[in-house]
Amino acid sequence: MTPAYLSDTAPGRGARSAPRSWLHTDAPSLSLNGDWAFRLCPTAAVQDDVAETDYDDSGWAQLPVPSHWVLHGDGAYGRPIYTNVQYPFPIDPPHVPDENPTGDHRRRFTLPDDFDGAERVLLRFDGVESLYRVWLNGDEVGIGTGSRLAQEFDVTGVVRPGENVIVVRVHQWSAASYLEDQDQWWLPGIFRDVTLLARPADGIDDVWLRAGFLDGAGTLDVELTAAASAYPVTVRIPELGVEQTWQSAADVTTLTLDAVEPWTAETPRLYDVTVSNTAETIALRTGFRTVEIVGDRFLVNGRRVVFHGMNRHETHPVRGRVFDEEHARADLARMKRYNVNAIRTSHYPPHPRLLDLADELGFWVIDECDLETHGFESSGAAHGGWVGNPSDDPRWRDAYLDRIRRTVERDKNHPSIVIWSLGNESGTGANLAANAAWVHDRDPGRPVHYEGDYTGEYTDVYSRMYSSVRETAEIGTDGSRYPLLGTTPGQGARQRTKPFLLCEYAHAMGNGPGALDAYERLVREHPRLHGGFVWEWRDHGILTETDDGTPFYAYGGDFGEVVHDGNFVMDGMILSDDTPTPGLAEYKAVVQPIRFDVGDGTLTLTNLRHTADTSDLSFRWRVEHDGRRVARGELPVDALAAGESVTVPLPAVEVADDAETWLTIDAVLQAATPWAEAGHVVASGQVDRSARIPSVGARPGAPALVAGVPARLTLGPAEFEDGALVRLNGREVAGPRLELWRAPTDNDEGASRAEPGEDDASVPGVSSAALWRAAGLDRLTHRIVSVEHAEDALLVRTRVSAANSPAAVWVDALWTVDADGALTLRTEIVPSTGWDTVWPRIGLRFDLPDGDAPVDRAEWFGRGPLEAYPDSMTAAQVGRYGATVDELNVAYARPQETGHRADVRTLTLGTDGADALRIALIPDAPGRRPGFSLSRHTPQQVAAAGHPHELPPSATTHLFVDAAQHGLGSRACGPDVAAEHALRPEARTITLRFG
C-alpha cells in the first residue's frame, strides 16, 4: 500500500531544522558523498526493514551520491522523462500513482573524532528529487521535500561515535511533484551533496551581511543567529581595517565605512569577511551594493540596470543536475565572453557554489524559488484554466512558504542576487501573495518578481514572457492605451509605473532566435524597459547511444516516455556538448557594451556599461580590401566613464579603386580576466568605406536564340545534355533546381499566435512549416517548357509547381559565355498568383556528386563567419572566410535549416585540397546580394530526420544559392518573424559568374 505521507502537502516532518545560510565554517563536517548501496523498487510499497542497522545489503548495487539513478544502470533503474507542461502522472492532487519508483540508499560511515565536542549534529541534504525519508542507526529522522532546496535534520540524539548506518529512501513521485513541473527532465535521486555537520557549543548558527553602498561609502548591517553564550562575536574585514567585537546581541549595530569599492556585475569587488567567536570562524565574501526601485527604474548603486540575461537550468548531458564546479565556472566564463551579464536561476535555486561563482565573476542574479505548477494551466480550460492549482489552495500554503523561506535564507548573503523570484508559471493565488509578503518583510532590500502576477498585486517589477516587439514597445511608452495581458485598463496603468523586464524572451530553440536587435533597441529607447533573459542558456540533451553504439543527445520521447514534449528541451544558446550556437554570437553582438556610431569622417564611441569605464579596453582597427587586410592600428581613446560618449576622427583609410574597402574597429581586453584572455573582443563595429562601384547587376542584352533541345552543348566550362547541366569545370554537376523549401527550423514548426499587424500570412494555431507542406514546397515538380540555344547561349524555361496546386513559379535560366570563355548564369524566378503563404527561401540548388573526391569546403568573401538570416545579421561582418562542410552547418539536436551565409560576393568550393569551382555572386538591380549554404543533405532529407545520426549516408554535396531567406523569429514559443523579415512570394533574379 502506498504510504500516506506521499500525499501529504506538508513540506516535511521530523527533526527538520530551520533554514539558514549556506556558510563556510571551520566547524567540523563530514561529506557523505561517494558510493552507496542502492536498490530500486517499482512502487512505494516497500518494507521499512532496510532501516535496521544489521540489514544485509550485500546484494545491492552500488550507486554514486550525488547522482540520478535513471542516468545509471543502462535502463535497469528506469529512464529519464521530459515534459514541459504535462505532468507524467495523472493530475489527481495531492495523490500520485502506486507505480512510483522508489530508490533505497544505504551506507555506513564512521563519525570523525573531531565531532566529539559537538553540541549538535546536523544532517544536510542539498538536493533530492522528490521526497525522501531518512533513517540513522535504525531511527527515523524525518521526511524532506523540495527537490532543489536544502534541508537540515537534527540528528544529535541518534548519531553515535564509531560506525553509523544511514538509509535514505527516495520516492520519484510525491505531492511535492505537483509543485515541480519545471520544463526539464524528471531525474530522481540524491543529486546534490549530503553532509554531516558538527555544530559546536556556542556556535554561530547563521549570519546575514547586508552590505549597502552610497556615494563611495558603505554600510554593513550584520544579523547574527546565536545563543547569548556565543558572545563576544567579532567581525573582521582586513582590507578595510575593520575589527568590531560585540559583547552581546544588544550591542550589534550597523557599521559605517567611509570608503569602499562597490560591487556590480561589471566590477565584482568582494571583501573577505570573517565572523568569529571562541567556538568557530565563519568566512564570507561580501560586496557593497544597494538595490532600489525609484519610479519605474530598477537601480543598483543609483544607476539603471539593463539585464542582458540568460535563463539557466542546471543540466549536463551525463551528470544531469549533479553539480561540477569546474564545468560551472567554465560555463559562467563563457557567458561573460558573450556579454551575458545576468542569470535567472530557472526555476529553482542552483547549487550554492554557483552563486559564489556569480558573486566572484560578476552577474546580476534573479534567484528563483523551487516552484512551478504549469500542468494545471489547461485544467478546467473551459473556465479559464488552473482548476485545482495549488497556488490558491490553503492546503498547500505551508509548502509554499517553506519553499520561499528556504530559498531566501540559504542565499541571502550573495551580493549578486538583486531580485527574489517566487517561482514560475504557477498561475496566481493567495499562496504566492503570502510568499511575496514574507519576502517583503524578511528582505526589504531586494524586490520581488513573479511573472504570473499580471495585475501587479503583490510584486515590485512588471514581468512578462515573450511579449512581441510591438507590445513591449507599448509597455515602455507613457500614456499607451495598448491593453496589457490579463489586466484591466487601470491595472495596466499601474503596471506601467514599474520597471519592466522580460523574464523570458527570444526562445533559443534550434536555429534562432531572430529579432534580438529589435528588443535591444527598445531598451535604449524606453528607460522603463530593463532588458530580459533569453530562454535559455543550454540544451538539455542527455548523451546516449543507439543500439549499434552511435552516440547522440536524446530529448523527449527518446526514452519511450508515455507523455513527453519532444525536443522542446533543446532550446539553448549553447548545444548540449558546450558548442556555442550562431544565435549566441548574434546575442553577443547585439548587446555589446560599446556602441559605434559613424559620422562624416568621425567615430562616436559610447560606453553602455552600468559602472565600469573603458580603461580595460583597447580600440584596434583594421582596413581590408575585398577581405584582405592592408592596414591596422589602434585608436587613441581616453577612458570613458559609464554612460559617456566621445567622438574621435576615423583613421586614414586607403580606399581601393577596384575592391571593397571595409574598416573594422574592435574593443578588446587589454589584460586577461578570470573569464577571458587578453585580446578578447568585447565589442566590434564595421564601416563600409568603399568607393562607389558601378552596379554589375543590370540585365545583359538578350542573345539571339533558336528553339530546340540540343542533345549535347558545351558553353565554356559547362556541358549540357538535353538542356540540362551535367558537367562544370570537368566535374559532374546537376542543376540548377529551384528550391523554395528549407528543412523547417523549430521556430518554423511553432504554431502561430497570429497577432494582428505582427505575424505575416499566418493562420492562428498553424505553423509556417504546416502551411509550406500544404502548399507542396517540399515536393515541387519541374516541367521544362522550352529550350532555346545559340552557339554561346542556352535558355531553359521551366514551370515549377506541386501536385494538386495551380500555383506555380516560372524559372528562366539563361546561360551565356563571353569571348574570354567566362560562363554566366542568370536566373529569373517569377511566381504566379495564388500563393497564400510566406516562402522559406528563394534559391537554386546544385548537386555535386562526390566523384573522385567530395566537395568538402568553402571559402567566401561576404558576411560571416557564422550563419546569418534576415533577422539575425548583427554578428555577421563582411570579410573573407573559410570552413569545411561540417563547420558550415550546426548540429542542432533536431536537424533543420542551417548554414546560410549572407551577402556573398565570391565563393570557392574546394575538394581534396584543390579548388573545384569558383563563383562570383552578382547583386541584382536593387543591389541585393545572394547567400549560400553547403550541405551533404537535401532539405527534404534533413527535415525527415529526428536526430543528426538519422541523416542518411550521402554521396553528394549540395550547393544552395539563395536570393532570399525567410527570417527566423522565435515562434517555437514566442513571436513570429516580423513582417519586414518575412519572405513573401516575389520575383527575384540570381546571377552567377563561373570562373
Side-chain angles (χ1 to χ4, degrees):
M1 183 175 181
T2 297
Y5 60 76
L6 289 174
S7 299
D8 189 352
T9 60
R13 72 184 190 195
R16 300 170 69 237
S17 295
R20 65 192 185 106
S21 301
W22 193 80
L23 297 171
H24 302 273
T25 172
D26 64 356
S29 65
L30 175 66
S31 171
L32 297 182
N33 294 350
D35 287 339
W36 291 46
F38 175 75
R39 177 188 70 180
L40 183 68
C41 299
T43 74
V46 189
Q47 294 296 319
D48 294 345
D49 56 350
V50 295
E52 298 172 5
T53 57
D54 58 355
Y55 183 88
D56 182 10
D57 60 18
S58 60
W60 290 18
Q62 294 289 301
L63 186 75
V65 170
S67 72
H68 305 278
W69 69 66
V70 293
L71 298 184
H72 292 261
D74 194 24
Y77 307 138
R79 293 293 192 182
I81 300 170
Y82 167 62
T83 63
N84 170 30
V85 178
Q86 305 176 82
Y87 285 109
F89 48 80
I91 301 177
D92 181 25
H95 306 290
V96 291
D98 294 338
E99 295 86 355
N100 189 349
T102 296
D104 283 335
H105 306 68
R106 297 183 92 248
R107 71 161 290 172
R108 298 175 184 273
F109 67 89
T110 299
L111 196 70
D113 292 341
D114 56 3
F115 274 56
D116 290 349
E119 180 181 58
R120 291 184 301 135
V121 178
L122 302 179
L123 178 61
R124 182 182 181 95
F125 294 88
D126 281 304
V128 184
E129 183 177 326
S130 78
L131 179 146
Y132 53 108
R133 188 178 177 192
V134 184
W135 293 270
L136 186 59
N137 297 325
D139 291 329
E140 182 172 336
V141 171
I143 291 175
T145 64
S147 296
R148 269 65 66 177
L149 299 166
Q151 178 65 72
E152 293 177 342
F153 296 95
D154 191 328
V155 296
T156 308
V158 293
V159 72
R160 60 195 182 201
E163 187 175 80
N164 293 260
V165 178
I166 181 173
V167 178
V168 182
R169 172 167 292 167
V170 181
H171 300 286
Q172 178 161 15
W173 310 124
S174 68
S177 301
Y178 286 101
L179 307 185
E180 297 175 1
D181 187 24
Q182 289 143 321
D183 187 10
Q184 60 183 336
W185 293 99
W186 299 85
L187 299 174
I190 305 172
F191 67 91
R192 287 186 185 159
D193 305 313
V194 182
T195 313
L196 202 66
L197 305 171
R199 299 300 306 137
D202 299 330
I204 303 168
D205 291 328
D206 203 1
V207 176
W208 187 5
L209 303 182
R210 284 178 277 193
F213 179 82
L214 179 64
D215 296 333
T219 58
L220 190 67
D221 185 9
V222 182
E223 178 184 288
L224 301 174
T225 302
S229 58
Y231 289 85
V233 175
T234 300
V235 174
R236 294 182 177 87
I237 311 177
E239 282 190 86
L240 298 176
V242 172
E243 183 168 337
Q244 176 68 50
T245 299
W246 292 302
Q247 299 298 323
S248 69
D251 297 335
V252 178
T253 58
T254 299
L255 302 179
T256 300
L257 307 170
D258 291 337
V260 300
E261 297 176 48
W263 185 97
T264 74
E266 296 165 356
T267 57
R269 181 65 162 94
L270 294 171
Y271 290 89
D272 291 324
V273 183
T274 60
V275 181
S276 60
N277 63 5
T278 58
E280 73 175 317
T281 297
I282 294 170
L284 304 95
R285 303 181 79 189
T286 196
F288 292 88
R289 58 104 184 96
T290 295
V291 179
E292 58 185 336
I293 292 176
V294 177
D296 60 0
R297 306 291 195 275
F298 177 86
L299 310 176
V300 174
N301 301 336
R303 294 185 64 87
R304 171 177 172 257
V305 170
V306 175
F307 295 102
H308 293 136
M310 294 285 161
N311 282 277
R312 180 190 179 274
H313 267 293
E314 294 200 315
T315 183
H316 185 274
V318 175
R319 297 186 301 271
R321 281 189 286 280
V322 175
F323 184 75
D324 178 85
E325 183 166 331
E326 182 179 356
H327 186 258
R329 181 181 288 276
D331 228 20
L332 297 195
R334 185 180 294 111
M335 285 187 182
K336 296 285 286 189
R337 291 196 296 273
Y338 281 90
N339 291 331
V340 176
N341 71 3
I343 297 169
R344 177 180 176 225
T345 69
S346 53
H347 298 293
Y348 43 82
H351 189 283
R353 275 295 291 160
L354 190 283
L355 296 171
D356 287 343
L357 298 178
D359 293 341
E360 174 190 330
L361 294 173
F363 290 92
W364 312 115
V365 174
I366 297 181
D367 196 11
E368 195 148 86
C369 185
D370 187 12
L371 176 66
E372 182 168 333
T373 67
H374 203 171
F376 286 92
E377 182 178 27
S378 59
S379 60
H383 304 285
W386 297 104
V387 172
N389 184 20
S391 295
D392 205 33
D393 186 336
R395 293 178 299 171
W396 299 85
R397 181 183 178 93
D398 289 346
Y400 272 61
L401 285 168
D402 178 75
R403 286 172 181 255
I404 196 64
R405 285 169 178 156
R406 286 197 275 160
T407 298
V408 172
E409 296 296 354
R410 192 199 74 169
D411 296 342
K412 56 184 178 284
N413 279 296
H414 292 283
S416 58
I417 298 173
V418 293
I419 296 176
W420 299 113
S421 180
L422 303 180
N424 185 67
E425 293 176 324
S426 296
T428 190
N431 295 336
L432 286 161
N435 279 10
W438 184 89
V439 176
H440 284 134
D441 180 67
R442 180 67 176 127
D443 185 14
R446 282 178 275 216
V448 172
H449 164 273
Y450 176 66
E451 186 266 347
D453 180 26
Y454 296 137
T455 61
E457 295 179 4
Y458 48 84
T459 50
D460 304 306
V461 297
Y462 181 32
S463 174
R464 285 285 306 282
M465 296 180 181
Y466 307 108
S467 59
S468 66
V469 171
R470 174 187 174 187
E471 184 182 2
T472 304
E474 296 290 350
I475 292 170
T477 303
D478 288 335
S480 171
R481 295 187 178 184
Y482 189 96
L484 302 185
L485 180 67
T487 67
T488 65
Q491 292 165 337
R494 175 171 64 187
Q495 290 293 62
R496 285 189 174 90
T497 67
K498 299 177 181 180
F500 175 78
L501 62 86
L502 284 158
C503 68
E504 293 181 21
Y505 83 114
H507 195 257
M509 186 175 179
N511 190 347
L516 288 169
D517 55 339
Y519 284 99
E520 186 66 13
R521 280 194 298 271
L522 294 181
V523 169
R524 303 303 171 197
E525 294 169 2
H526 304 287
R528 178 180 304 134
L529 308 181
H530 289 73
F533 297 79
V534 169
W535 186 266
E536 63 174 306
W537 172 241
R538 171 184 288 278
D539 278 3
H540 296 224
I542 292 179
L543 184 60
T544 187
E545 60 183 34
T546 63
D547 292 341
D548 66 2
T550 302
F552 72 100
Y553 292 99
Y555 50 73
D558 287 335
F559 296 109
E561 301 99 308
V562 175
V563 297
H564 63 85
D565 288 306
N567 70 319
F568 209 71
V569 77
M570 303 297 222
D571 46 15
M573 281 286 198
I574 63 174
L575 304 182
S576 300
D577 65 357
D578 294 345
T579 301
T581 65
L584 184 57
E586 176 75 0
Y587 182 87
K588 175 188 176 181
V590 165
V591 306
Q592 63 185 21
I594 305 297
R595 188 171 69 225
F596 302 87
D597 296 309
V598 177
D600 186 12
T602 63
L603 174 68
T604 298
L605 302 168
T606 303
N607 179 4
L608 301 175
R609 291 168 162 178
H610 175 271
T611 305
D613 63 24
T614 61
S615 59
D616 62 326
L617 301 177
S618 296
F619 293 88
R620 299 175 181 172
W621 59 267
R622 66 182 182 274
V623 176
E624 293 168 324
H625 291 169
D626 277 357
R628 295 182 175 87
R629 191 171 66 195
V630 296
R632 65 180 178 180
E634 186 169 316
L635 285 176
V637 180
D638 293 334
L640 286 173
E644 285 189 350
S645 300
V646 66
T647 299
V648 298
L650 281 173
V653 173
E654 178 187 351
V655 177
D657 295 329
D658 57 353
E660 294 184 43
T661 301
W662 288 86
L663 169 66
T664 305
I665 304 102
D666 293 330
V668 304
L669 290 177
Q670 292 187 17
T673 69
W675 46 268
E677 298 294 329
H680 167 74
V681 177
V682 172
S684 186
Q686 193 173 56
V687 187
D688 185 356
R689 306 295 287 174
S690 304
R692 185 175 296 277
I693 301 174
S695 172
V696 293
R699 184 184 183 96
L705 299 167
V706 296
V709 180
R712 295 189 63 84
L713 178 67
T714 299
L715 294 176
E719 299 176 33
F720 301 85
E721 291 184 3
D722 298 329
L725 177 68
V726 293
R727 299 187 72 81
L728 188 58
N729 280 9
R731 185 181 187 93
E732 185 180 352
V733 177
R737 174 186 177 89
L738 177 69
E739 191 66 77
L740 303 180
W741 172 252
R742 73 183 185 193
T745 67
D746 290 310
N747 290 315
D748 294 338
E749 296 281 12
S752 172
R753 300 188 302 182
E755 298 182 36
E758 293 179 2
D759 286 2
D760 197 282
S762 298
V763 177
V766 179
S767 71
S768 290
L771 296 175
W772 298 341
R773 292 186 180 100
L777 299 186
D778 59 336
R779 49 183 174 84
L780 295 174
T781 61
H782 294 62
R783 177 174 66 85
I784 294 178
V785 176
S786 63
V787 177
E788 300 176 58
H789 66 94
E791 182 179 355
D792 57 356
L794 174 69
L795 173 64
V796 180
R797 167 166 287 191
T798 305
R799 185 183 189 274
V800 182
S801 188
N804 198 39
S805 173
V809 181
W810 295 93
V811 181
D812 284 2
L814 175 63
W815 298 87
T816 57
V817 62
D818 63 21
D820 296 327
L823 180 70
T824 298
L825 167 64
R826 181 182 182 89
T827 306
E828 302 282 356
I829 301 167
V830 181
S832 70
T833 59
W835 295 97
D836 56 2
T837 180
V838 295
W839 281 351
R841 77 188 323 152
I842 303 174
L844 302 177
R845 185 180 106 198
F846 295 85
D847 298 333
L848 309 168
D850 288 350
D852 294 333
V855 170
D856 58 5
R857 64 180 175 84
E859 295 179 358
W860 73 99
F861 174 40
R863 292 196 177 272
L866 301 178
E867 63 186 31
Y869 292 82
D871 54 356
S872 181
M873 293 281 283
T874 306
Q877 293 188 336
V878 174
R880 194 167 290 275
Y881 305 101
T884 66
V885 172
D886 287 343
E887 292 167 342
L888 286 166
N889 297 283
V890 180
Y892 295 111
R894 184 188 69 79
Q896 56 196 273
E897 163 66 27
T898 178
H900 177 74
R901 267 60 179 181
D903 292 345
V904 176
R905 283 78 164 161
T906 61
L907 171 66
T908 301
L909 303 183
T911 178
D912 197 22
D915 292 345
L917 195 62
R918 294 188 181 93
I919 309 172
L921 288 69
I922 310 303
D924 63 8
R928 298 170 296 191
R929 298 181 183 274
F932 88 96
S933 56
L934 199 64
S935 173
R936 293 291 290 174
H937 296 93
T938 68
Q940 291 77 10
Q941 290 172 324
V942 174
H947 303 83
H949 69 270
E950 295 171 2
L951 290 165
S954 173
T956 302
T957 299
H958 306 279
L959 168 65
F960 302 87
V961 178
D962 291 324
Q965 276 259 358
H966 187 58
L968 298 174
S970 193
R971 198 202 263 183
C973 193
D976 196 7
V977 175
E980 61 267 29
H981 299 304
L983 179 56
R984 292 260 184 194
E986 60 181 37
R988 297 298 290 257
T989 300
I990 299 176
T991 303
L992 307 176
R993 184 172 297 138
F994 300 88

Coordinates of all heavy atoms in Angstrom, one line a residue, residues 202 345 911:
D202 N 28.0 26.9 21.7 CA 28.1 28.4 21.5 C 28.5 28.8 20.1 O 29.2 29.8 19.8 CB 29.1 28.9 22.5 CG 28.7 28.7 23.9 OD1 27.5 28.7 24.2 OD2 29.6 28.6 24.8
T345 N 17.8 32.1 -12.3 CA 18.0 30.7 -11.9 C 16.7 29.8 -12.1 O 16.1 29.4 -11.2 CB 18.5 30.6 -10.4 OG1 17.4 30.9 -9.6 CG2 19.7 31.5 -10.2
T911 N 37.9 20.8 -53.0 CA 37.9 19.3 -52.8 C 39.3 18.8 -52.8 O 40.1 19.1 -53.7 CB 37.1 18.7 -54.0 OG1 37.1 17.2 -53.8 CG2 37.6 19.0 -55.3

